[in-house]
Amino acid sequence: MAVLEVNNIFKSFGKYEVLKGISFSLEEGEVLAMIGSSGSGKTTLLRCLNFLERPDKGTIAVNEKLLFDGESAEKMTEEQIRQNRLHFGLVFQNFNLFPQYSVIENISLAPKLLQIGTEEEIEQKALALIERVGLSDKKDYYPWQLSGGQQQRVAIARALALGPDVLCFDEPTSALDPELTGEVLKVIKDLKTENRTMVVVTHEMEFARNVADKIIFMANGVIEEMGPPEQIFEHPQSEKTKAFLSKSLEEI
Amino acid sequence: MSFLEVTSFLFDGFVISFLIFAVTLLLGIPLGLPIAFCSMSRFKPVKIVAKVVVWVVRGIPLMLQIFIIYYVPGLLFDYPLFSKVDRFVFLEWGISDAGRILAVLIAFVINYACYFSEIYRGGIESISKSQYEAGYVLGLTKKQIFRKIILLQVVKRIVPPMSNEIITLIKDTALANCIMVCEIIKQAKELAATKALIWPLFYTGVFYLLFVGVLTLLFGRIEKKLDYFRS
């Protein structure tokens, strides 16, 4: 049974068509890596999944439940959109932690405001998540006191606190110094062993190859090629994929 | 007149200055918020009205606004509201300038609310959109995001410009003497006219200076309190 089913998503900004019919599905525990050059629509797709953008057309279903249908999108209330967002988590490129809250407060803020469990339970869960991302000794630090890699790990814990069905990452290591990307990627890799369904937009080809179960290569708003990493990286079919891969490997 | 008597006479005036200051803050600070929201409204007519009001209020000297508020009821509606209040309060309680103080308060509250609203607007607009988005993806409502995430960051950013404006406010209260409200400068002028004493006029500066000193310390404290985070 597919956890996530995305069907024929279209999205334009004015005259500029960013997504031109994106469809894919994801099984439970699968990790999907989305690669492609900037401007290909990866981030917009991720933002559509998290209802930060509203697709013009298409459907999104999670666990067989239709969350979004372009046909009836106009009628969606703010409350419905908010509820829908709870199925997804999103980790941003620039972390976007709340600066006035400590690590543990960042993680427990939303569960507390949404009253998911008792204060005690929320606190316990937050502490467990902090331990998972290896920041137990930093739980009372404020974001500015942490390195980028640490901040991103807090952001991951914050997204996990609400137990989303699908956890999305938007270039989670792009804003980090090279020596810090490893610690973040390791956390993401660990999450895979917990059977977490994830969508990762990334430029880290090695990571995509080693961790993802499925790769989507996007170009000009369409899925140019989709398949298991061996196929995409070893035997790419499309010329565009070949060109992109040889270029990004060249850089390394 | 002894130094102590002069001090006490001026202090009576400074109480009025402080009253104008306190009421303006008490009402102007909250009133600035709806004005700020209106001027950021996506509903065009509301936005335009708010912008025009702010433009007019910031574009005309405060002294002139005091005159307008004071004289307009009489000139336009043939009902000199504030002098009527003056007379009424004088007959009842023996205070001579209550109606004029009321006119000054109205002018000050409107004027400062507009200035504050622009500071709020600047503060709110300076918060990155990504802070809202971080709240959205956690399933928070707009209200929760504003109150629990945005507000404190805005407060931190607007403390310095607000301090500036508030320090200006205590000195602006001197404008009230244009319609003969007995604030401290008016009191000093009274001494010059009736007792031929000019030095009390300069002495009033000490009152302002001390008060501004206290304000400065207070704002320093608030800034320090908000220093624990950076955004």
Side-chain angles (χ1 to χ4, degrees), chain A residues 58-72:
Chain A
T59 61
I60 299 171
V62 169
N63 292 325
E64 319 253 287
K65 187 178 160 219
L66 187 66
L67 295 185
F68 177 87
D69 186 349
E71 302 282 302
S72 55

Side-chain angles (χ1 to χ4, degrees), chain B residues 139-228:
Chain B
L140 303 183
T141 63
K142 270 187 182 160
K143 218 180 204 171
Q144 288 170 331
I145 292 171
F146 187 77
R147 286 193 185 161
K148 297 290 180 178
I149 299 169
I150 306 301
L151 193 59
L152 193 62
Q153 296 184 48
V154 172
V155 169
K156 183 182 167 85
R157 286 188 195 189
I158 67 174
V159 167
M162 285 296 281
S163 321
N164 227 348
E165 210 58 53
I166 291 169
I167 284 171
T168 304
L169 169 61
I170 186 63
K171 291 168 293 172
D172 271 359
T173 59
L175 290 170
N177 88 64
C178 73
I179 54 169
M180 307 310 241
V181 167
C182 298
E183 49 71 58
I184 186 167
I185 301 270
K186 172 79 175 34
Q187 294 287 86
K189 280 161 84 180
E190 180 89 13
L191 291 178
T194 59
K195 304 271 197 290
L197 291 175
I198 198 72
W199 65 266
L201 190 56
F202 303 110
Y203 178 36
T204 60
V206 176
F207 286 78
Y208 290 108
L209 212 49
L210 287 177
F211 191 71
V212 169
V214 172
L215 288 180
T216 307
L217 289 177
L218 199 75
F219 291 129
R221 271 218 169 146
I222 296 174
E223 275 186 49
K224 193 138 204 196
K225 244 203 167 137
L226 291 172
D227 220 20
Y228 74 92

Side-chain angles (χ1 to χ4, degrees), chain B residues 130-144:
Chain B
S130 55
Q131 284 289 307
Y132 292 88
E133 290 186 344
Y136 283 137
V137 297
L138 291 169
L140 303 183
T141 63
K142 270 187 182 160
K143 218 180 204 171
Q144 288 170 331

Side-chain angles (χ1 to χ4, degrees), chain A residues 177-250:
Chain A
D177 292 336
E179 72 265 30
L180 298 177
T181 56
E183 63 185 62
V184 171
L185 295 179
K186 190 177 164 296
V187 169
I188 302 174
K189 205 171 164 183
D190 284 349
L191 288 174
K192 185 185 156 83
T193 60
E194 280 176 24
N195 217 28
R196 223 162 242 299
T197 315
M198 296 188 276
V199 178
V200 187
V201 168
T202 186
H203 290 298
E204 300 284 335
M205 292 304 145
E206 273 311 299
F207 172 76
R209 188 184 209 146
N210 294 329
V211 177
D213 302 295
K214 200 185 237 175
I215 307 275
I216 283 180
F217 171 67
M218 279 185 69
N220 299 322
V222 295
I223 295 180
E224 184 70 24
E225 199 162 351
M226 171 160 53
E230 307 79 49
Q231 181 200 315
I232 302 287
F233 286 103
E234 315 293 342
H235 314 287
Q237 305 296 311
S238 136
E239 286 307 316
K240 281 183 188 163
T241 317
K242 285 178 196 166
F244 174 78
L245 287 175
S246 71
K247 226 182 210 167
S248 45
L249 291 173
E250 191 178 281

Side-chain angles (χ1 to χ4, degrees), chain A residues 1-6 24-34 42 45-51 60-65 67 82-92 155-170 188 191-192 194-201 213-214 216, chain B residues 136-139:
Chain A
M1 188 186 91
V3 171
L4 173 64
E5 258 198 275
V6 173
F24 66 90
S25 70
L26 216 52
E27 301 295 319
E28 183 165 2
E30 266 191 323
V31 177
L32 167 71
M34 285 202 276
K42 302 170 307 234
L45 178 57
L46 218 52
R47 289 172 62 84
C48 284
L49 289 181
N50 285 275
F51 301 94
I60 299 171
V62 169
N63 292 325
E64 319 253 287
K65 187 178 160 219
L67 295 185
R82 193 186 70 77
Q83 291 285 348
N84 284 347
R85 286 188 178 123
L86 290 170
H87 292 280
F88 295 88
L90 177 60
V91 174
F92 298 87
I156 293 171
R158 182 176 70 176
L160 285 170
L162 292 167
D165 296 311
V166 180
L167 185 54
C168 304
F169 296 82
D170 184 12
I188 302 174
L191 288 174
K192 185 185 156 83
E194 280 176 24
N195 217 28
R196 223 162 242 299
T197 315
M198 296 188 276
V199 178
V200 187
V201 168
D213 302 295
K214 200 185 237 175
I216 283 180
Chain B
Y136 283 137
V137 297
L138 291 169

Side-chain angles (χ1 to χ4, degrees), chain A residues 116-158:
Chain A
I116 298 172
T118 65
E119 197 111 329
E120 182 83 358
E121 288 164 358
I122 292 169
E123 203 85 351
Q124 287 307 320
K125 187 162 185 210
L127 286 171
L129 284 167
I130 292 171
E131 199 181 336
R132 290 239 22 223
V133 298
L135 289 169
S136 292
D137 54 331
K138 301 268 194 295
K139 75 179 176 65
D140 293 318
Y141 281 45
Y142 288 90
W144 67 272
Q145 297 167 306
L146 303 174
S147 72
Q150 290 168 336
Q151 288 191 50
Q152 192 60 300
R153 285 187 278 155
V154 176
I156 293 171
R158 182 176 70 176

Side-chain angles (χ1 to χ4, degrees), chain A residues 9-11 17-22 40-41 44-45 48 218 221:
Chain A
I9 294 284
F10 280 81
K11 173 72 188 170
E17 209 170 22
V18 184
L19 299 176
K20 305 167 194 166
I22 303 287
S40 59
T44 305
L45 178 57
C48 284
M218 279 185 69

